[in-house]
Amino acid sequence: MRYWLMTWNPRIYTIDERLRSGGGPTAWLIRRYRNALSEGDKFVLWRSGRGGIAATGRIAGEAEFRDAPYPERWAKVPGKAWFVPVIVESWHDCLIPFQELRDDKRFDGMTFRDMPGASNPHPLTKIHWDALMSYL
């Protein structure tokens, strides 16, 4: 099993209470590592902007090149792209200032910390995963 961090920018994609109560998004846009993601891998959904953990869940299958799900939720619909099926297991409102990630040695080598503008997803080590889960 692998661990991943996927970013969510609320200015680009809307997740409201209605979507949360229905379990959440069923697929997430990815730009890289599509052949490395496997069913059962765990992910954390990082809310950009204010920073923090918005959700945790697992990968539900192989990435697919397809139309964007929920086109009404996108500020600009990406069209056909790679999406990985996901299952959101829990929603969180866990604020973690980005500076804490920079200061915490447990996050050394985490691509998200070192290259925050890089595309989804970001691979995590078990140490990174456990460190993020310690905030919940």
Side-chain angles (χ1 to χ4, degrees), residues 17-95:
E17 288 307 315
R18 187 172 47 125
L19 187 59
R20 284 183 184 212
S21 66
T26 57
W28 205 255
L29 176 66
I30 60 169
R31 302 263 189 226
R32 52 194 193 138
Y33 295 108
R34 68 177 177 265
N35 295 322
L37 294 155
S38 297
E39 187 171 350
D41 287 357
K42 295 184 177 187
F43 74 88
V44 60
L45 186 61
W46 181 270
R47 180 186 173 124
S48 64
R50 68 181 181 91
I53 299 171
T56 52
R58 60 189 161 82
I59 304 300
E62 293 182 11
E64 300 175 48
F65 191 72
R66 57 176 279 197
D67 289 324
Y70 308 106
E72 70 281 2
R73 298 190 178 280
W74 293 87
K76 181 180 178 188
V77 180
K80 284 203 179 276
W82 287 97
F83 288 86
V84 66
V86 297
I87 296 172
V88 174
E89 296 174 332
S90 335
W91 289 100
H92 307 280
D93 192 20
C94 177
L95 178 64

